[in-house]
Amino acid sequence: MIRATGDLPAGEIRAADKKEPLFEFDAGGYASFEAAKDKASTAALWRPDSRAVAVMTRTTKRSTDVKLFTIAGSKVTKVQMPDFFAGILKDFGVTEVWRCAFERPLRWLENGDLVLHVSGDCVINSGPQEERTKWFEYEITVSPASGKIVDSKQTLVRLKNG
């Protein structure tokens, strides 16, 4: 649930039978805009055993962020997520995204790991000018127990126009 609280929008994790939240977190500045209601701007993916939840919020017009929480009884722990883009950008020989950086939870695996869809764009430094801007998409698997990437595979690379 995303709701406005004071100056910053906040997310809450609640037990189904409780009114008070178990945990509150910053939901990103973009959540205060009307566009945040769009399904492309927010998402929550509960692990089937309800012991973890991945929450995506839009942080800017061209970026999203996934927060991962583990839940044990009434204790909620935020898992420190790795920088997904660092390894991806290394594949292209660059150090930063150009304009877009999106993370979205896709599915939970039977072993409890989380698969995310990570996409964005970058400008490479070689080749013809009209072929330097690339759009990339990856599926990245993260372990909630360690917060580390356990698998990463490129699913798409294409030229980006605009």
Side-chain angles (χ1 to χ4, degrees), residues 140-155:
I140 296 179
T141 304
V142 176
S143 166
S146 67
K148 296 193 183 308
I149 296 171
V150 294
D151 190 32
S152 176
K153 63 182 171 187
Q154 187 180 87
T155 58

Side-chain angles (χ1 to χ4, degrees), residues 30 62 91 156:
Y30 202 79
R62 293 184 179 96
D91 288 351
L156 176 75

Side-chain angles (χ1 to χ4, degrees), residues 34-104:
E34 188 67 24
K37 294 178 183 175
D38 181 34
K39 285 186 178 189
S41 295
T42 58
L45 184 64
W46 282 92
R47 195 163 76 184
D49 65 6
S50 295
R51 293 183 182 191
V53 63
V55 179
M56 182 209 74
T57 56
R58 184 171 296 274
T59 50
T60 70
K61 183 177 179 179
R62 293 184 179 96
S63 65
T64 58
D65 178 55
V66 172
K67 292 173 178 58
L68 177 59
F69 303 95
T70 58
I71 301 147
S74 62
K75 183 179 182 207
V76 178
T77 303
K78 183 178 178 186
V79 176
Q80 183 64 40
M81 296 288 269
D83 179 354
F84 302 118
F85 292 95
I88 292 171
L89 294 172
K90 224 181 250 187
D91 288 351
F92 294 97
V94 298
T95 57
E96 58 187 38
V97 295
W98 182 45
R99 297 175 71 187
C100 300
F102 297 108
E103 303 170 7
R104 184 172 195 80

